[in-house]
Amino acid sequence: MAGTVIGEGLSVDGELTSDEEIVVHGTVRGTLSATDVVSVGTEGTVEANIQAAALSVAGRVTGNVTATERIDIQAGGRLIGDVKAARLTIADGASFKGNVDMDA
Amino acid sequence: MADESVIGATTRIRGNVTGSGSLRVEGTVEGDVQVEGDVVLTEAGRVRGSISGATLHIAGQVAGDLHATDSISVEAGARVVGDIIAARIGIVEGALVRGLVQTDGEPSAAPRPAAKASRSTPAAAARPAPVVRERPSAAASPAARTPVTAPPASRRAQSLPARTQASPATKAEAEVKAKPSEASEPKAPARSRKPPAPVVPAVKRGAPAKKKRRAT
Amino acid sequence: MASVTPESSVIGSGTQLVGRVSGSGGLRLEGSIRGDVSVTGAVEIADGASIEGGVEASELEIHGTLAGDAHTQGRITVRESATVRGALVGSQVTIEPGSKVAVKLDTEFELDW
């Protein structure tokens, strides 16, 4: 279970750091620095550079993303920014615009 | 001498109330209350002045500060406009409080609420009445036992300015007040320990005390 | 208060935020926030959690630390494990003995005499 859940109506503006799982159903603006998994739900919006173990996007992410493990953009999800991860999946129906660096 | 005194429901006191032992206030006090023991203010009780003791149980209404060396509990139905200072403070649901509430001892320099204005009233009311006065109707009430009311002047003069304003002279008194051993010396030694100077800045409050000294 | 629906939020014990939280829904804080919190729902500061900043909420329950002012429409409850410093304005403020407080209460009411 996720340690941190940003609910749908909530907006977080600033620097978010965490060593636990984060699920975003609301809005995060600023920077997001996690050592665990970050998931952006279908209603979630992240306007921040993200650092995480892994990122799963079903909502919208605008920002550069660095993941130590993987980045998955789900169908209906949208990521605009440069990504750096060892593994990347962009599902059919997902949207992506940016540079990719998979050089581990 | 009874260990617990009672100010009955129909009793109204204009002047300060001090002493050792505990006190139960069911009536009205327009002045400061300062005892060594516990103070219980019942739901009908009213105090326009500060209250200090070992433990305070407040269920009535107070326009003044509350100080306790042990704990203060403000009960449902109580209304307090003033600062509340003790190591342990409880304010339950249904109690209404407006003022500073502090468990760490010294009153902070933060601005005080308007209740401060009411503190001048007990002194003003006490001036014409050097001795605590009891209404005639109170005599008829079975609960019209009045508490110990003849404190040494110095102790009262000490207590009045000690917690109200942050005037320089009162700081020494506040320190002195904080020590429980201090409170147990209502006699001459306390008087001699206290220099006349601190009374001067609080002339208004010192006035009744001066009269008291002459009377004794 | 373990149930979490997408309408209410949890900031876990391993999470820190320097910035502002705003919006609708309730918030349970187990981590730390340095910044203001302004939400329409109830805020709970768990034991071990802290907010350094102001809080605006419908209700506030403090088990941890609050250093800042709080304004609620409803009640503010300071639990025994809490440490609170700031002004508390709510319809009702409850303080449990054992808590460490240096607060200014500004509840609206009149003495009846």
Side-chain angles (χ1 to χ4, degrees):
Chain A
M1 263 302 14
T4 291
V5 178
I6 308 291
E8 206 176 314
L10 210 76
S11 286
V12 171
D13 285 80
E15 296 157 29
L16 195 61
T17 27
S18 182
D19 63 9
E20 58 197 356
E21 266 187 63
I22 300 180
V23 177
V24 182
H25 295 288
T27 305
V28 174
R29 260 183 236 106
T31 63
L32 203 170
S33 218
T35 55
D36 205 322
V37 175
V38 174
S39 307
V40 181
T42 52
E43 309 305 310
T45 302
V46 176
E47 287 165 21
N49 291 334
I50 301 176
Q51 228 184 38
L55 173 68
S56 167
V57 185
R60 304 170 67 95
V61 173
T62 308
N64 300 326
V65 183
T66 303
T68 52
E69 288 163 26
R70 55 184 307 122
I71 298 175
D72 299 289
I73 311 176
Q74 322 286 358
R78 186 184 168 95
L79 195 161
I80 299 172
D82 299 338
V83 304
K84 188 178 161 90
R87 304 168 78 104
L88 172 68
T89 69
I90 302 177
D92 186 19
S95 172
F96 172 67
K97 181 183 168 112
N99 299 315
V100 177
D101 180 353
M102 296 186 76
D103 218 353
Chain B
M1 214 190 312
D3 203 37
E4 185 185 74
S5 306
V6 180
I7 295 174
T10 55
T11 300
R12 183 200 178 95
I13 293 176
R14 278 214 190 98
N16 301 323
V17 175
T18 62
S20 58
S22 297
L23 176 65
R24 185 183 171 85
V25 181
E26 296 170 359
T28 301
V29 176
E30 285 172 13
D32 297 335
V33 173
Q34 187 189 312
V35 299
E36 289 166 32
D38 302 338
V39 178
V40 171
L41 180 70
T42 62
E43 203 172 325
R46 303 281 184 269
V47 174
R48 199 181 290 279
S50 62
I51 303 179
S52 67
T55 301
L56 309 187
H57 296 269
I58 308 293
Q61 301 194 14
V62 182
D65 297 342
L66 304 181
H67 282 253
T69 51
D70 191 356
S71 69
I72 297 176
S73 85
V74 186
E75 279 135 41
R79 297 192 198 184
V80 179
V81 178
D83 299 342
I84 302 180
I85 299 172
R88 275 178 79 83
I89 298 175
I91 299 178
V92 306
E93 176 139 7
L96 294 172
V97 175
R98 184 161 65 242
L100 297 177
V101 177
Q102 222 151 316
T103 56
D104 40 41
E106 276 121 49
S108 70
R112 305 275 173 102
K116 201 162 80 149
S118 68
R119 278 197 280 278
S120 57
T121 322
R127 221 177 287 126
V131 183
V132 155
R133 208 167 47 192
E134 191 185 300
R135 287 268 155 93
S137 59
S141 143
R145 291 162 291 179
T146 54
V148 177
T149 56
S154 64
R155 202 157 152 252
R156 241 183 337 127
Q158 218 171 300
S159 71
L160 291 168
R163 288 175 295 284
T164 52
Q165 274 118 21
S167 59
T170 64
K171 280 204 186 116
E173 288 158 353
E175 279 165 33
V176 166
K177 241 310 109 278
K179 294 178 198 143
S181 58
E182 229 299 304
S184 63
E185 290 177 279
K187 312 249 179 336
R191 212 182 303 166
S192 61
R193 184 189 318 183
K194 200 176 109 35
V199 172
V200 174
V203 165
K204 286 196 183 91
R205 292 159 215 246
K210 278 180 190 157
K211 280 188 195 163
K212 208 61 182 110
R213 251 205 293 264
R214 279 185 229 125
T216 359
Chain C
M1 222 189 131
S3 74
V4 168
T5 65
E7 292 87 51
S8 76
S9 306
V10 177
I11 292 184
S13 57
T15 301
Q16 300 93 43
L17 169 68
V18 176
R20 180 187 169 75
V21 177
S22 58
S24 62
L27 174 65
R28 177 180 160 84
L29 176 70
E30 294 169 1
S32 71
I33 297 177
R34 195 144 60 84
D36 298 334
V37 173
S38 178
V39 298
T40 58
V43 172
E44 182 184 336
I45 303 175
D47 196 359
S50 73
I51 297 184
E52 227 179 284
V55 175
E56 266 172 32
S58 63
E59 265 181 44
L60 174 61
E61 181 160 345
I62 310 171
H63 296 261
T65 300
L66 171 64
D69 299 340
H71 287 250
T72 59
Q73 288 101 39
R75 66 187 61 172
I76 298 176
T77 308
V78 177
R79 295 287 182 199
E80 159 185 42
S81 53
T83 299
V84 184
R85 177 167 226 102
L88 303 181
V89 181
S91 63
Q92 163 77 53
V93 179
T94 301
I95 295 181
E96 283 185 359
S99 57
K100 296 193 181 72
V101 296
V103 297
K104 175 171 192 261
L105 302 190
D106 226 334
T107 324
E108 289 256 342
F109 65 92
E110 293 307 315
L111 299 175
D112 71 11
W113 109 110

